[in-house]
Amino acid sequence: MATSMQKLVGVSQEDDEEEMEMDVKEEDDEDEENGEKQIAAQMMIGVDEVMPSTSSSDQFQYQPQLQEQVSNQSGGGGARRSRPLEEKERTKLRERHRRAITARILAGLRRHGNYNLRVRADINDVIAALAREAGWVVLPDGTTFPSRSQSSPAAGTSAGMTSSSSQMVSQQIPPPPATLQGVSSGYRTTVEYNACRMKGVFMPTPSHYDLSSTAPAQSLGVVADGGEQTERLPLIAGSTQVINDKQIIGLPTKLPERDFAGTPYVPVYVMLPLGVINMKCELADPDGLLKQLRVLKSINVDGVMVDCWWGIVEAHAPQEYNWNGYQRLFQMVRELKLKLQVVMSFHECGGNVGDDVCIPLPHWVAEIGRSNPEIFFTDREGRRNPECLSWGIDKERVLRGRTAVEVYFDYMRSFRVEFDEFFEDGIISMVEVGLGPCGELRYPSCPVKHGWRYPGIGEFQCYDQYMLKSLRKAAEMRGHSFWARGPDNAGSYNSQPHETGFFCDGGGYDGYYGRFFLNWYSQVLLNHGDRVLSLAKLAFDGTCITAKLPGIHWWYKAASHAAELTAGYYNPCNRDGYTAIATMLQKHGAALSFSCAEHHILEQQDHLREALADPRGLVWQVLNAAWDVSIPIASENAFLCHDRVGYNKILDNVKPVNDPDGRHFSSFTYHRLSPLLMERQNFMEFERFVKRMHGEAVLDPQV
């Protein structure tokens, strides 16, 4: 918003609710006395709306009908006053319930939004506060008009308030010369409020294509000159409707696109299929792949990304590496003058959403796991997760005389030696270092194979003997040895925060033990990333290395951020959990890879609301944490995308329109190459997307 919010006046929620209860008792009696007056007034308004241009003589002819309708509604024969007592009681209960909700809303605005609202505030006070926050002038009599920094007020105009999203539309649609304007939502998430109050934090202007849950479906109220809302209608895309001589402003039918011509060049890579290399370390379909790579080259895609699977290369015996299939693939890429992004994949493939092949960990690691299952992450029930190795063995010599970190380093060093010429020629432009499940720096807190389903909070993964040993040591150093345990009230994989004693509002996560445990749990994650990236920097000196973070956006609006806590991100509402990660990456000169570009899908709106999700708030918290320490940001899409709306949303995130420092992502990787992408219409849209990422002009910017 253009102006900063005023300070909290210090009225507690309990005081609000007590005042509301007093209002209920006082107003219950008033309801009976004013019932007939309210009905008559509503009927008058309804007639005025139906007949906005009727002459005075015509209106006089309708007076008998109006009086008859009012008489019938008010019960000329005493029908209204003979309502059953039960109905009256139900009406009172509904009114008490409504006012109790209002009290909580007002208390939340005071406490968390810093709104200066009086004790017995009503909806007019809330609207006025929103208007002032948006930079409008609101006089005591309700007259509202833009400040001098905006357009001049029109005489007799009852101006509407605009949110940040509607401001973008107003820049392209001139304000109509009507006496009435639409009122759009002034809603913003808690993260947006908090971020806007923090100095130097960038919050982008919402995109025209931002259809996420943070921009709910809007409805429009027609406001009469007296300030009373008389009708609610949905916003219709592309509509500038005239209803009863009242003009309603909607969104344009064809959403205007940004012109990306002349914007910074952002390289575009395409991720190759998971099974491009088979279990024998051979190219699965070299001829078909070559044709697809040539097509990608024809539209100036910069390169491709490929997983180098630990379970394929070092499959049969320690330090026996087979790079044959990758040699042939890399040679093919070099001949086409494309570039490579490679992923050091130290996790298994299969069992997660989107996995269409099965690539387990090396056979010799699986043999060790059968005799010593403690090398895998373990949940509270003792279920093992063989997707990747536990971070508890990073420094334990349990892998035939080597620690896990040594195994990772030997693998990366072998890759560097094998493909030295590709590094020297600049063909390999980036190495993404796998740091956990799916290659991401996180705990495997949400395993589908153990029954997790969205939007479950997941479970802590710290119950193998090596992790418990670390926890015991930390508790003893703190002087509380009885803290050497995991939370016993943190629910199960599919629990919701309010159903648990640990993650509920005011729950154990914010107590002394909870803070100790979460600090230890997140520090283990940081230490693992620090150790592996320090060795990756040594192995790939001179080449950009990256670490990947997931976008765990569900329960982001809950105070505890439960799903993030179980994944290892200590990021509740009163603590920033991503700054420490960004600082660790900056220490090693590593970039951040983050899946964040297209959380706008309409089909997910209901799920996002139910799970208190805020993808956009999470995205900008993570991006600001990275930009604050000046590390590059690479991105990829988390979901399949073939439509223009999705591509435009990605572009708006990769190249923010109003960033004060002109920052943008360093590269974008499309997920992933498939026959569906190669279909004619889909590929034409993708080609257009690549041109705009490169800052080139397109022929149909308004299509």
Side-chain angles (χ1 to χ4, degrees):
M1 290 296 179
T3 60
S4 60
M5 293 180 289
Q6 300 179 349
K7 297 296 181 180
L8 187 64
V9 298
V11 179
S12 66
Q13 183 176 0
E14 292 76 17
D15 294 338
D16 294 331
E17 294 180 353
E18 291 177 1
E19 293 291 344
M20 278 297 168
E21 289 298 328
M22 295 174 61
D23 290 344
V24 170
K25 294 178 181 178
E26 294 172 359
E27 294 178 16
D28 283 341
D29 297 333
E30 296 175 3
D31 290 342
E32 292 295 326
E33 298 174 2
N34 298 331
E36 293 84 356
K37 296 179 181 179
Q38 292 175 356
I39 291 178
Q42 291 171 0
M43 293 297 297
M44 290 293 292
I45 293 172
V47 171
D48 289 341
E49 288 180 351
V50 174
M51 305 166 52
S53 58
T54 306
S55 64
S56 58
S57 60
D58 292 335
Q59 291 179 2
F60 179 77
Q61 296 175 4
Y62 278 84
Q63 291 300 320
Q65 290 181 335
L66 174 63
Q67 292 175 1
E68 181 180 355
Q69 293 174 4
V70 172
S71 176
N72 292 336
Q73 289 289 337
S74 61
R80 173 176 172 81
R81 295 191 177 277
S82 62
R83 289 186 307 169
L85 180 61
E86 294 81 1
E87 182 180 348
K88 294 181 180 179
E89 291 300 323
R90 285 196 298 268
T91 301
K92 290 182 180 179
L93 288 175
R94 285 195 297 268
E95 188 64 17
R96 287 193 181 98
H97 180 64
R98 182 187 66 80
R99 290 169 184 163
I101 294 175
T102 302
R104 296 188 182 97
I105 293 174
L106 296 176
L109 289 173
R110 294 190 190 99
R111 179 173 301 173
H112 305 297
N114 287 348
Y115 283 96
N116 185 10
L117 299 174
R118 60 190 177 89
V119 174
R120 296 190 180 184
D122 57 18
I123 190 62
N124 292 334
D125 296 312
V126 175
I127 293 175
L130 291 169
R132 293 190 182 99
E133 183 189 15
W136 294 68
V137 177
V138 181
L139 300 181
D141 64 353
T143 302
T144 305
F145 53 85
S147 63
R148 291 183 179 179
S149 61
Q150 304 180 37
S151 59
S152 301
T157 299
S158 179
M161 302 180 310
T162 58
S163 66
S164 58
S165 58
S166 60
Q167 288 174 7
M168 293 186 64
V169 178
S170 67
Q171 293 173 3
Q172 308 190 21
I173 302 177
T179 60
L180 300 165
Q181 295 184 13
V183 178
S184 65
S185 171
Y187 171 82
R188 289 193 301 170
T189 65
T190 303
V191 171
E192 292 174 318
Y193 280 124
N194 294 338
C196 289
R197 291 202 299 268
M198 293 190 296
K199 183 178 179 181
V201 173
F202 165 62
M203 287 298 294
T205 301
S207 165
H208 293 293
Y209 302 89
D210 190 359
L211 304 178
S212 66
S213 62
T214 58
Q218 293 179 327
S219 58
L220 189 64
V222 178
V223 184
D225 291 335
E228 182 179 357
Q229 183 169 319
T230 60
E231 184 176 2
R232 284 190 73 81
L233 295 168
L235 277 180
I236 302 176
S239 63
T240 301
Q241 306 178 14
V242 178
I243 299 179
N244 299 340
D245 293 337
K246 300 177 177 65
Q247 212 164 30
I248 300 177
I249 304 172
L251 295 175
T253 302
K254 294 183 179 179
L255 295 173
E257 292 184 331
R258 281 176 57 192
D259 182 6
F260 287 91
T263 58
Y265 185 101
V266 175
V268 177
Y269 292 78
V270 175
M271 187 178 295
L272 296 182
L274 292 171
V276 66
I277 303 291
N278 62 27
M279 291 302 296
K280 297 179 180 180
C281 202
E282 299 171 344
L283 271 176
D285 181 13
D287 295 334
L289 178 62
L290 180 59
K291 292 178 182 178
Q292 290 178 323
L293 292 180
R294 284 173 175 165
V295 174
L296 293 178
K297 178 63 178 179
S298 69
I299 63 170
N300 296 320
V301 166
D302 294 270
V304 294
M305 173 180 273
V306 61
D307 289 279
C308 292
W309 295 101
W310 182 33
I312 292 178
V313 175
E314 196 181 0
H316 303 293
Q319 295 181 285
E320 291 186 6
Y321 307 103
N322 177 10
W323 299 103
N324 291 339
Y326 292 102
Q327 277 282 7
R328 187 175 180 186
L329 171 62
F330 289 10
Q331 187 64 35
M332 187 184 299
V333 170
R334 178 164 61 180
E335 290 173 356
L336 292 173
K337 297 183 179 179
L338 294 170
K339 296 200 173 197
L340 277 164
Q341 292 179 336
V342 295
V343 184
M344 300 287 101
S345 298
F346 297 113
H347 61 284
E348 75 169 10
C349 179
N352 289 309
V353 177
D355 291 350
D356 54 5
V357 298
C358 180
I359 304 174
L361 296 184
H363 301 312
W364 60 273
V365 174
E367 291 177 2
I368 296 173
R370 282 191 285 270
S371 60
N372 180 17
E374 301 291 338
I375 66 173
F376 300 124
F377 282 107
T378 307
D379 64 18
R380 186 175 181 83
E381 299 298 322
R383 288 169 289 197
R384 314 289 183 180
N385 190 334
E387 185 175 354
C388 60
L389 297 179
S390 168
W391 300 335
I393 65 170
D394 276 359
K395 297 191 291 184
E396 300 286 342
R397 296 190 176 279
V398 295
L399 300 176
R400 299 194 180 176
R402 293 186 296 167
T403 67
V405 170
E406 289 172 345
V407 169
Y408 304 145
F409 179 63
D410 289 342
Y411 182 86
M412 291 187 289
R413 184 171 55 183
S414 172
F415 177 83
R416 179 65 175 81
V417 172
E418 186 74 20
F419 298 102
D420 180 69
E421 58 182 313
F422 293 90
F423 283 96
E424 295 298 328
D425 295 341
I427 303 299
I428 297 177
S429 61
M430 186 183 79
V431 178
E432 183 178 297
V433 183
L435 297 171
C438 298
E440 299 164 341
L441 181 59
R442 64 174 175 89
Y443 288 89
S445 56
C446 301
V448 175
K449 65 181 68 177
H450 290 166
W452 174 84
R453 296 294 183 270
Y454 176 88
I457 60 176
E459 290 191 21
F460 292 113
Q461 305 290 314
C462 59
Y463 294 95
D464 62 83
Q465 70 178 35
Y466 302 103
M467 292 287 284
L468 290 176
K469 175 183 174 182
S470 172
L471 177 58
R472 191 179 309 113
K473 182 178 179 181
E476 290 172 353
M477 290 181 63
R478 180 69 182 270
H480 302 292
S481 58
F482 55 92
W483 281 356
R485 56 178 177 81
D488 55 8
N489 58 347
S492 59
Y493 284 113
N494 293 311
S495 296
Q496 298 187 5
H498 64 273
E499 298 171 345
T500 73
F502 192 77
F503 296 116
C504 66
D505 290 353
Y509 78 93
D510 202 28
Y512 289 109
Y513 161 73
R515 291 194 293 268
F516 159 78
F517 173 80
L518 293 172
N519 185 70
W520 166 82
Y521 191 71
S522 61
Q523 190 62 46
V524 171
L525 177 145
L526 279 172
N527 291 343
H528 172 73
D530 183 55
R531 283 190 288 265
V532 177
L533 289 178
S534 65
L535 296 176
K537 181 181 179 182
L538 182 62
F540 305 122
D541 186 31
T543 301
C544 176
I545 61 174
T546 66
K548 185 178 178 181
L549 293 186
I552 301 180
H553 54 78
W554 54 102
W555 305 117
Y556 188 85
K557 291 181 181 178
S560 62
H561 292 224
E564 291 170 272
L565 295 185
T566 58
Y569 306 123
Y570 192 5
N571 189 54
C573 63
N574 57 355
R575 189 180 188 275
D576 184 356
Y578 295 100
T579 297
I581 296 174
T583 302
M584 182 268 293
L585 297 179
Q586 190 268 344
K587 170 185 173 183
H588 301 294
L592 169 66
S593 177
F594 191 58
S595 301
C596 63
E598 73 309 341
H599 292 296
H600 69 286
I601 300 177
L602 285 173
E603 289 79 8
Q604 292 190 347
Q605 278 196 0
D606 292 338
H607 299 297
L608 293 176
R609 284 192 289 268
E610 292 171 3
L612 296 181
D614 188 4
R616 186 169 175 270
L618 172 66
V619 165
W620 293 109
Q621 182 186 359
V622 174
L623 297 190
N624 278 300
W627 279 333
D628 283 346
V629 295
S630 302
I631 61 175
I633 300 173
S635 181
E636 63 184 50
N637 53 308
F639 306 102
L640 289 178
C641 179
H642 301 293
D643 62 277
R644 187 166 300 185
V645 171
Y647 286 135
N648 285 333
K649 178 58 183 169
I650 292 173
L651 283 158
D652 284 332
N653 280 337
V654 171
K655 300 180 180 184
V657 63
N658 61 345
D659 185 277
D661 300 313
R663 295 171 296 196
H664 57 84
F665 291 6
S666 61
S667 67
F668 177 80
T669 302
Y670 178 82
H671 183 96
R672 68 182 64 238
L673 181 62
S674 67
L676 186 59
L677 174 64
M678 291 298 174
E679 292 181 4
R680 184 176 181 275
Q681 184 60 40
N682 292 340
F683 196 75
M684 289 174 62
E685 284 294 336
F686 182 67
E687 179 183 8
R688 185 176 184 275
F689 167 71
V690 172
K691 287 182 178 180
R692 302 178 81 200
M693 290 288 280
H694 289 169
E696 300 175 14
V698 293
L699 297 179
D700 56 345
Q702 294 298 327
V703 176

